[in-house]
Amino acid sequence: GSAMALPWLVAVELLLYGGCFICGIIAASSVTVTQGEFSGQCVLWGSVRWANPVVPLCCRGSSRASVCCAVLCCALLIQLCCIVLCCAGLIQLCRCVAGESLWMTVSLAVCAVFLFFLLVTGCILRIGRDRLCQSALKDSGIHSCQEAEGKNWASPYTGQHFYSNLHTAETSVWVNFFLWVLVFALLVIQKKRGSEFSPLSAGDPEWSTSEADPIFPRPS
């Protein structure tokens, strides 16, 4: 029946949380590695200047560390929340019961907040990466950021993978966004099914007095 479908929905939800957790790890590690290639600087919205045809240099400084910190904090927060939601989902799955209405409402609110954070983070990575690429291509004679990765970088910078890492981080964020959309949809379905199969109380209009009265006669 429909009530038996709830454990399967929870199982799918747990798989989605696992995917979100992995995407968070990939995004955070990719941004961290990129910072390491540029001596800990956040190069989103940064710029690269070519001192000569073969040696590019980071110039005009980098963007504020808070930009990369926001990306990392978002990924970390989602990972921690995935662990909490997975534990709650496992308890729910083992007990084969529908989630409490209040808990489902809180989960939906958290999911909506994460969708907003991921949308902002994805835009930060996309725009920041494009700004960096535009500066790398300007007056350089090259036609793509992938080609810039293969050039020699002035010490202490080693940007051989700056574009690939930032592209991987952005892709992970958008995949994470899509997974949370699926999580949101599953939570809505579970909340709806849970309300359909909640037990009736004596005050509900669906309570049949014709069946209850012979056993528990109402006082006049």
Side-chain angles (χ1 to χ4, degrees):
S2 298
M4 296 302 295
L6 281 171
W8 294 103
L9 291 175
V10 176
V12 174
E13 182 184 343
L14 291 177
L15 291 176
L16 291 175
Y17 288 144
C20 294
F21 184 84
I22 294 174
C23 286
I25 292 177
I26 294 174
S29 60
S30 297
V31 173
T32 302
V33 169
T34 303
Q35 285 186 272
E37 291 182 344
F38 288 88
S39 299
Q41 299 181 79
C42 183
V43 293
L44 292 171
W45 274 291
S47 59
V48 171
R49 183 183 63 188
W50 292 78
N52 58 61
V54 294
V55 181
L57 294 170
C58 256
C59 70
R60 292 193 292 268
S62 57
S63 60
R64 293 183 177 181
S66 59
V67 176
C68 288
C69 183
V71 176
L72 297 175
C73 287
C74 179
L76 179 60
L77 181 62
I78 289 178
Q79 287 174 288
L80 293 176
C81 189
C82 282
I83 295 175
V84 174
L85 292 175
C86 276
C87 292
L90 285 173
I91 295 174
Q92 181 181 342
L93 188 62
C94 292
R95 295 175 59 187
C96 294
V97 295
E100 295 292 336
S101 179
L102 178 60
W103 173 252
M104 299 297 291
T105 302
V106 172
S107 297
L108 284 169
V110 170
C111 187
V113 171
F114 283 168
L115 286 173
F116 173 76
F117 283 163
L118 287 169
L119 181 63
V120 173
T121 302
C123 292
I124 289 175
L125 286 169
R126 179 61 180 270
I127 299 174
R129 187 200 66 196
D130 287 348
R131 291 286 182 87
L132 181 63
C133 285
Q134 288 173 5
S135 68
L137 300 180
K138 185 178 181 182
D139 301 326
S140 64
I142 60 176
H143 305 287
S144 67
C145 283
Q146 291 91 330
E147 188 177 347
E149 289 181 331
K151 299 295 183 179
N152 294 322
W153 289 75
S155 179
Y157 308 119
T158 56
Q160 279 79 13
H161 305 288
F162 79 95
Y163 178 82
S164 301
N165 288 332
L166 293 179
H167 180 73
T168 299
E170 182 198 349
T171 302
S172 299
V173 167
W174 290 124
V175 171
N176 210 341
F177 180 86
F178 175 73
L179 293 178
W180 278 102
V181 169
L182 295 180
V183 170
F184 188 88
L186 282 178
L187 290 174
V188 171
I189 294 173
Q190 291 183 61
K191 184 176 176 62
K192 182 178 179 181
R193 287 179 179 271
S195 62
E196 288 176 355
F197 293 97
S198 58
L200 296 176
S201 62
D204 291 333
E206 293 84 354
W207 184 267
S208 176
T209 56
S210 60
E211 296 178 359
D213 285 345
I215 304 175
F216 304 103
R218 291 186 176 185
S220 57

